[in-house]
């Protein structure tokens, strides 16, 4: 039968884009782990009518549980609890014990502000102790308690700050009301494949063929996403779909032998980090604003394998920092395979590394020519023993797209050289 859930993210600041929603995706992952199907995520402003409409939409969709985030503060625009109470047909009542607990929290917080008027602050925060009659109260992580309201659907009211929400989530999940509401959940599995160097249209064609070739294909819920210039294929299935999923992987491996580089979900960044064990890598970047260096160092223990990096834009900087010959730049241009190779060699020397990756390109929006248009990027990976690989690509997109795609290409070239050395 399964369990379905909906998420209602409240907050005008989220609706207008001033703050990015982090709670919806985080809760979506937790629901997936539990085997609960997420039907909808809706975002609405801090207006009671809009919150009620979002709740009504989710309820009409037949979900078993609605999770709301935000709108639990002491200010006038924090209306989620009152709206949930009205939607559930419950009276809003003052929980005296909860009021005392909130007061104790506020006293501790206000020790930092000598002379502040505690009674005035408490008067504003008293509304946080108003809860729907019969609801289960979740202990505050900040000053705002969460609420669980039994019904069809059950509604779980969570705070907006991600840290508070995430810390409160286990307590919400452990309540008897929530456990009853999700009792029919299924146990889904989720696997991720990653491809590089194949267009999305080609993958779509392969999946159409797989539909006729792979027995039980209809048991698989497949989502594809273009991310950082790669294709991410996420497949969700119930345990009895395991055999069909393995057949799909075999089919895609045969169709895209070179492009399918990860069958266990590991990213290229993770694979490169593992391959660098016992080595030292250096970077030399022009046009990517240090993105490759950032990707290499974005994990614990990176200091063990990252020797250093240089982000050099001007010709003078390439010469002064990396020792690139000025005559080479004049002869071939700053964006050239010859200069990319010299930058990699310079990074090897400068940082005493075992392997180096260099990028020089035109990310735009200006600076291109007929011979070298915007999006022209040259890459070079060199090892201390003279091995390596150099190539030039014309990448699509705006400045940010070209930079990000360039960093992904560089990581894959680095992986290729490491695998072959």
């Amino acid at each position: 039968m399964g369990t379905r859930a909906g998420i209602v993210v409240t907050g005008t600041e989220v609706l207008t884009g001033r703050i990015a929603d982090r709670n919806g995706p985080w809760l979506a992952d937790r629901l997936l782990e539990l085997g609960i199907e997420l039907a909808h995520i809706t975002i609405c402003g801090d207006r009671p009518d809009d919150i009620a409409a979002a709740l009504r939409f989710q309820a009409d969709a037949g979900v078993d549980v609605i999770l709301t985030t935000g709108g639990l503060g002491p200010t006038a625009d924090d209306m989620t609890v009152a709206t949930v109470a009205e939607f559930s047909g419950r009276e809003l009542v003052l929980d005296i014990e909860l009021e005392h607990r909130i007061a104790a929290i506020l006293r501790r917080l206000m020790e930092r502000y000598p002379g502040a008027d505690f009674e005035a602050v408490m008067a504003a925060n008293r509304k946080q102790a108003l809860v729907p009659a019969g609801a289960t109260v979740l202990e505050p992580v900040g000053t705002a308690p969460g609420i669980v309201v039994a019904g069809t659907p059950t509604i779980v009211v969570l705070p907006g700050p991600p840290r508070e929400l995430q810390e409160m989530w286990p307590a919400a999940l452990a309540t008897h009301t929530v456990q009853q509401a999700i009792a029919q959940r299924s146990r889904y599995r989720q696997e991720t494949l990653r491809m590089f160097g194949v267009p999305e249209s080609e993958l779509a064609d392969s999946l159409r063929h797989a539909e006729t070739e792979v027995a039980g294909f209809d048991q698989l819920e497949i989502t594809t996403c273009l991310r950082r210039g790669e294709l991410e294929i996420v497949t969700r299935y119930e345990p009895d779909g395991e055999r069909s999923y393995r057949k799909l992987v075999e089919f895609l491996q045969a169709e895209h032998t070179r492009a399918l580089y990860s069958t266990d979900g590991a990213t290229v960044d993770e694979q490169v980090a593992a391959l660098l064990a016992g080595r030292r890598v250096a970077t030399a970047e022009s046009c990517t604003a240090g993105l490759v260096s950032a990707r290499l160092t974005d994990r614990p223990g990176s200091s063990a394998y990252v020797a250093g990096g240089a982000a050099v834009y001007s010709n003078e900087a390439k010469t002064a920092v990396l020792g690139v010959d000025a005559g080479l730049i004049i002869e071939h241009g700053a964006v050239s395979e010859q200069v990319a190779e010299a930058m990699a060699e310079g990074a090897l020397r400068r940082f005493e590394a075992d392997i180096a990756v260099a990028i020089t390109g035109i990310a735009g929006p200006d600076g291109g020519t007929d011979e070298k248009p915007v999006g022209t990027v040259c890459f070079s990976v060199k090892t201390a023993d003279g091995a390596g690989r150099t190539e030039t690509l014309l990448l699509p997109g705006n400045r940010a797209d070209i930079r990000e795609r360039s960093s992904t290409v560089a990581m894959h070239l680095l992986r290729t050289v490491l695998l072959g050395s």
Side-chain angles (χ1 to χ4, degrees):
M1 181 177 174
T3 299
R4 301 176 78 233
I7 298 172
V8 176
V9 178
T10 72
T12 303
E13 69 281 4
V14 181
L15 182 67
T16 57
R18 295 200 308 275
I19 293 178
D21 173 35
R22 291 165 53 196
N23 292 329
W26 190 87
L27 286 170
D29 285 342
R30 303 294 79 74
L31 293 171
L32 176 64
E33 293 167 356
L34 291 166
I36 297 170
E37 180 184 352
L38 176 59
H40 303 280
I41 297 179
T42 58
I43 300 176
C44 63
D46 295 304
R47 295 175 290 272
D49 288 349
D50 293 336
I51 297 172
L55 294 170
R56 194 175 307 110
F57 168 78
Q58 299 278 10
D60 289 347
V63 302
D64 302 287
V65 181
I66 300 174
L67 310 175
T68 76
T69 77
L72 307 189
T75 57
D77 62 334
D78 292 311
M79 300 294 295
T80 302
V81 173
T83 306
V84 167
E86 184 176 353
F87 182 82
S88 304
R90 297 178 182 239
E91 183 184 359
L92 202 60
V93 297
L94 180 66
D95 185 320
I96 300 298
E97 290 186 7
L98 178 59
E99 183 182 20
H100 291 161
R101 295 200 293 276
I102 292 172
I105 293 169
L106 286 173
R107 287 189 190 280
R108 290 196 300 272
L109 292 174
M110 291 185 66
E111 289 176 357
R112 309 173 194 170
Y113 308 101
D117 187 343
F118 172 79
E119 291 303 326
V121 173
M122 188 59 213
N125 284 75
R126 187 165 282 114
K127 73 187 287 281
Q128 294 178 299
L130 294 169
V131 300
T136 300
V137 175
L138 304 172
E139 283 300 303
V141 175
T143 61
I147 304 292
V148 177
V149 182
T152 306
T154 289
I155 303 176
V156 182
V157 181
L158 298 168
R163 183 190 66 82
E164 293 182 23
L165 179 145
Q166 292 172 21
E167 194 170 329
M168 189 179 287
W169 174 246
L173 191 60
T175 63
H176 177 69
T177 300
V178 171
Q179 286 297 311
Q180 277 192 317
I182 66 174
Q184 300 300 317
R185 67 187 186 275
S186 301
R187 291 293 179 184
Y188 290 104
R189 296 179 183 174
Q190 180 171 294
E191 305 281 357
T192 301
L193 305 175
R194 300 185 190 278
M195 291 186 180
F196 177 71
V198 60
E200 197 168 10
S201 58
E202 190 173 325
L203 172 61
D205 187 57
S206 295
L207 290 174
R208 282 193 292 271
H209 287 127
E211 192 170 359
T212 61
E213 297 290 332
V214 175
F217 184 88
D218 58 350
Q219 295 178 283
L220 308 176
E221 183 180 319
I222 303 170
T223 303
T224 63
C225 177
L226 184 63
R227 191 192 303 277
R228 279 184 161 182
E230 299 181 336
L231 286 174
E232 182 180 87
I233 306 103
V234 177
T235 304
R236 190 173 73 151
Y237 56 91
E238 294 189 40
D240 59 2
E242 172 77 20
R243 181 176 176 80
S244 297
Y245 177 71
R246 296 303 160 200
K247 289 294 184 184
L248 172 65
V249 174
E250 290 174 8
F251 179 87
L252 292 176
Q253 284 176 319
E255 290 284 306
H256 304 284
T257 305
R258 293 175 60 86
L260 181 58
Y261 76 88
S262 174
T263 59
D264 62 359
T267 64
V268 66
D269 298 33
E270 291 167 337
Q271 291 185 1
V272 165
L275 290 167
L276 283 169
R279 302 172 186 250
R280 298 275 281 170
V281 65
T283 63
E285 301 180 63
S286 177
C287 94
T288 44
L291 285 179
V292 176
S293 182
R295 290 176 69 159
L296 287 167
T297 55
D298 190 24
R299 60 195 64 253
S302 60
S303 59
Y305 54 80
V306 178
V312 288
Y313 283 85
S314 71
N315 294 340
E316 293 78 10
K318 293 179 177 69
T319 298
V321 178
L322 298 172
V324 177
D325 182 70
L328 189 73
I329 298 174
I330 294 170
E331 182 180 357
H332 298 285
V335 179
S336 62
E337 293 189 355
Q338 293 82 354
V339 169
E341 289 179 345
M343 289 170 62
E345 290 162 359
L348 282 172
R349 292 190 303 270
R350 180 68 184 253
F351 299 106
E352 298 180 348
D354 304 303
I355 189 167
V357 55
I359 308 171
T360 179
I362 307 168
D366 302 313
T369 65
D370 290 340
E371 183 183 357
K372 296 177 182 178
V374 170
T376 302
V377 185
C378 304
F379 305 85
S380 183
V381 177
K382 291 281 188 179
T383 65
D385 59 8
R389 182 169 171 179
T390 301
E391 65 178 62
T392 300
L393 295 176
L394 181 60
L395 301 175
N398 59 28
R399 187 179 184 85
D401 293 333
I402 293 167
R403 283 178 165 179
E404 188 168 64
R405 288 173 186 269
S406 294
S407 73
T408 297
V409 172
M411 293 298 289
H412 277 277
L413 282 176
L414 186 54
R415 173 183 176 272
T416 300
V417 173
L418 285 166
L419 285 171
S421 63

